[in-house]
Amino acid sequence: THARAHLPAAGAAAMDVAESPDLQAQLAAAVHALNHASHPSARLAANQWLLGLQRSPHAWALAVSLLASADHPSPSADLLFFAAQMLRRKIQSPDYSLPDNAAQLLDALLVAARRFCLAPPRLLTQICLALAALALRAEGGVDGLFARMPHLPDPALLELLTVLPEEVAQDESGDTGVDSATRCRFARELLMHAPAVLEFLLAQSEKPAAADGVPLHERNHRILRCLLSWVRAGCFSGAPASALAAHPLLTFAFNSLQWP
């Protein structure tokens, strides 16, 4: 599918500018300079240009276009990471409004999570952080996200489920774009899905080795990270001690302490 079909509503002119090869080439050069230039002044100039781009109305469409690009060769890992990071920062910032059709942005990020589920972990994590931030801020974001989750491969789903509960405590990290009432509602909506999440984690813990291309020890580590996120969010709050003691996921966590 052409990237244009997944762009958030931002006006045809903004889409055309964002898909301009010249702008994409400038962005690629700036990201390369920021990460690899040997002279501090070159890195500073690149950073200033990138900050200006992030503030521009073209940033939404440009970032989505890069993540959905079918070009060969595909954009560099640094460029894809910057695109995902730019989307996350714009979603989280109180200085920017969400696009008119946030559902299209949600779908575009889910496509990217599916596409890059086995990419370098930092890229998948950044995409999932953007999805979590959007679910917190968009109307019906939590239920809309969970309704679309069955289409994700297991590695992407596991990472997304890990970072979602972390949004509950983001205010402590300086994110002031969301009031406490909205964040409390987000937490309540998340916990309504906790039983299904725990069932998914249990199924993951019982899968054979390398069933999804992820080594067994790595998958077990990811399961434990995800479980800890949901425990911190209160997924076991109110459960009797006897039920907790017998819960197979807690048995899995205990047994994991025996791993070398």
Side-chain angles (χ1 to χ4, degrees):
T1 303
H2 195 282
R4 186 186 293 273
H6 300 292
L7 290 172
M15 293 186 206
D16 291 341
V17 172
E19 292 183 350
S20 160
D22 289 342
L23 181 57
Q24 294 192 11
Q26 284 181 286
L27 173 58
V31 169
H32 185 271
L34 181 67
N35 287 288
H36 303 291
S38 56
H39 202 284
S41 63
R43 294 196 298 272
L44 179 61
N47 186 59
Q48 292 300 315
W49 188 89
L50 290 169
L51 287 174
L53 175 66
Q54 182 173 302
R55 291 190 291 267
S56 80
H58 315 306
W60 295 106
L62 176 59
V64 170
S65 180
L66 285 167
L67 290 172
S69 172
D71 293 344
H72 296 286
S74 61
S76 70
D78 284 344
L79 185 54
L80 290 168
F81 177 81
F82 179 82
Q85 185 182 63
M86 183 162 61
L87 282 176
R88 175 183 64 81
R89 286 176 173 171
K90 285 185 76 69
I91 292 167
Q92 287 183 328
S93 174
D95 297 328
Y96 309 116
S97 298
L98 290 179
D100 293 336
N101 194 340
Q104 287 187 12
L105 179 57
L106 183 68
D107 287 337
L109 284 166
L110 285 165
V111 168
R114 184 162 64 245
R115 180 182 180 193
F116 298 112
C117 68
L118 296 178
R122 73 176 193 142
L123 173 57
L124 177 59
T125 297
Q126 201 65 213
I127 294 169
C128 290
L129 287 169
L131 278 164
L134 185 58
L136 171 62
R137 290 161 178 80
E139 184 72 26
V142 172
D143 289 341
L145 183 55
F146 272 86
R148 293 164 169 83
M149 278 187 187
H151 302 294
L152 286 179
D154 286 350
L157 182 51
L158 196 51
E159 183 64 20
L160 178 55
L161 289 174
T162 299
V163 302
L164 260 177
E166 295 171 359
E167 280 293 322
V168 175
Q170 274 296 100
D171 272 334
E172 298 173 5
S173 301
D175 176 13
T176 58
V178 177
D179 58 41
S180 58
T182 299
R183 213 172 282 276
C184 287
R185 187 187 71 242
F186 175 76
R188 289 195 303 271
E189 291 173 354
L190 268 189
L191 289 177
M192 291 179 66
H193 296 275
V197 172
L198 295 177
E199 286 184 18
F200 168 75
L201 291 178
L202 182 58
Q204 288 290 300
S205 73
E206 296 171 344
K207 286 175 64 172
D212 50 13
V214 178
L216 181 61
H217 72 278
E218 176 61 24
R219 188 194 314 132
N220 288 344
H221 175 70
R222 295 180 187 181
I223 293 168
L224 287 174
R225 280 182 59 231
C226 187
L227 178 59
L228 181 58
S229 287
W230 283 83
V231 169
R232 286 172 172 162
C235 69
F236 289 127
S237 295
S242 58
L244 286 178
H247 199 287
L249 273 175
L250 296 185
T251 301
F252 167 79
F254 176 78
N255 291 338
S256 71
L257 298 175
Q258 316 302 317
W259 298 337

